[in-house]
Amino acid sequence: MSDKTQDNSPFKKPTVAVTGASRGIGHAIVKEFHNSGWEVFTLARTPFSDVCPWAEGIVQHIEIDLADPVSIRAELKRRLGNRGLNALVNNAGISPKAEDGGRMSATGTSLEDFQRVMMVNLMAPMMLCSELLGPLQQAKGAVVNVTSIAGQQIHPFAGSAYAVSKAGLSALTRELAFELGDKGVRVNAVSPGEIATSILSAGTEEMVEQQVPMKRLGSPAEVAEVVSFLCSAKASYVTGAEIPINGGQHV
């Protein structure tokens, strides 16, 4: 990212908030922004991860439960003070499994589980955009929602509630892009496919061989770089887009 100091505030560093930032794709996104000179706030339901390689990270970390509407509302806005927010990355997502570790079907998912998935994966991004609209508008900022290929087609491992929530997040991305465009806030999404993280399901390698034209897993860094681009001035006329990052799996 070449425009490291793009900011309409008097502060030198642009500021980004990333949810679900403690591992996998979220951790790679945080590293990408940190290495590009951004001030990074991380939001997760777990404590600051000791594998994060920056000293200031522990004081920039906010523990919140995205399943709890009350937990979402105040802390980041308080820490920002009068500053704008250059980017918000809604990366957090949950995908509960059946007792045997298998995919949870639509009719086999309890209402409680369905509601919890919707809250974390869909409602929390909407609430964060609403709560942080002032700082985002002040900085002419960008929002990037992390959706999934499971929101576009049946996936053998991702559960039904997860798929529905990600399809909803795609629709929310379009709605917010339409609504916030004249306020100077861009809203886009990235849609990862099979990415090499610690939570891959058994059988993923075989699926990649059969369904992914590039015949390999993606890396979290490859997702992070696209997120970084969408938050940069290089994407200044891009809004309402959803970029698939899946090695061609969607075709």
Side-chain angles (χ1 to χ4, degrees):
M1 184 180 298
S2 60
D3 53 319
K4 296 179 182 178
T5 59
Q6 179 199 4
D7 194 358
N8 293 335
S9 77
F11 291 79
K12 291 181 180 180
K13 286 186 175 184
T15 304
V16 60
V18 183
T19 69
S22 59
R23 63 180 181 177
I25 291 173
H27 189 65
I29 291 170
V30 170
K31 287 177 67 175
E32 174 71 19
F33 279 104
H34 176 78
N35 292 340
S36 297
W38 288 58
E39 181 179 3
V40 182
F41 288 97
T42 57
L43 296 86
R45 58 191 173 94
T46 53
F48 178 72
S49 172
D50 59 8
V51 301
C52 297
W54 49 92
E56 70 271 27
I58 194 166
V59 298
Q60 298 288 84
H61 183 70
I62 302 170
E63 282 189 54
I64 62 171
D65 180 1
L66 293 173
D68 177 9
V70 177
S71 178
I72 292 171
R73 293 185 179 276
E75 182 62 20
L76 178 58
K77 204 168 183 180
R78 183 187 69 78
R79 292 203 195 188
L80 285 171
N82 294 324
R83 287 181 289 173
L85 181 64
N86 296 85
L88 168 65
V89 181
N90 289 306
N91 168 70
I94 57 173
S95 181
K97 303 294 183 185
E99 289 185 5
D100 62 0
R103 181 182 190 273
M104 293 179 70
S105 66
T107 55
T109 303
S110 70
L111 181 60
E112 181 182 13
D113 281 336
F114 205 92
Q115 289 176 325
R116 185 167 62 93
V117 172
M118 291 300 130
M119 183 63 215
V120 174
N121 296 7
L122 178 59
M123 300 298 290
M126 184 177 69
M127 292 176 65
L128 283 168
C129 286
S130 178
E131 289 294 320
L132 298 170
L133 180 57
L136 284 165
Q137 190 172 352
Q138 179 183 335
K140 304 297 182 186
V143 178
V144 176
N145 296 320
V146 179
T147 63
S148 170
I149 192 171
Q152 303 157 16
Q153 61 191 57
I154 298 297
H155 193 278
F157 307 128
S160 176
Y162 177 84
V164 171
S165 71
K166 292 299 186 177
L169 191 55
S170 296
L172 179 64
T173 298
R174 296 190 296 271
E175 292 289 330
L176 289 172
F178 178 79
E179 181 178 335
L180 304 182
D182 63 355
K183 295 178 171 61
V185 178
R186 296 182 298 106
V187 186
N188 294 292
V190 297
S191 177
E194 311 313 315
I195 306 299
T197 68
S198 61
I199 57 171
L200 284 178
S201 298
T204 299
E205 294 284 357
E206 291 81 359
M207 185 177 67
V208 167
E209 186 63 30
Q210 295 170 6
Q211 297 184 12
V212 178
M214 292 183 70
K215 304 296 183 186
R216 68 172 178 86
L217 293 167
S219 73
E222 288 175 308
V223 179
E225 287 166 358
V226 180
V227 172
S228 171
F229 163 73
L230 288 172
C231 293
S232 77
K234 293 179 180 179
S236 58
Y237 200 52
V238 180
T239 195
E242 183 170 14
I243 299 179
I245 309 173
N246 59 36
Q249 186 178 2
H250 66 296
V251 305

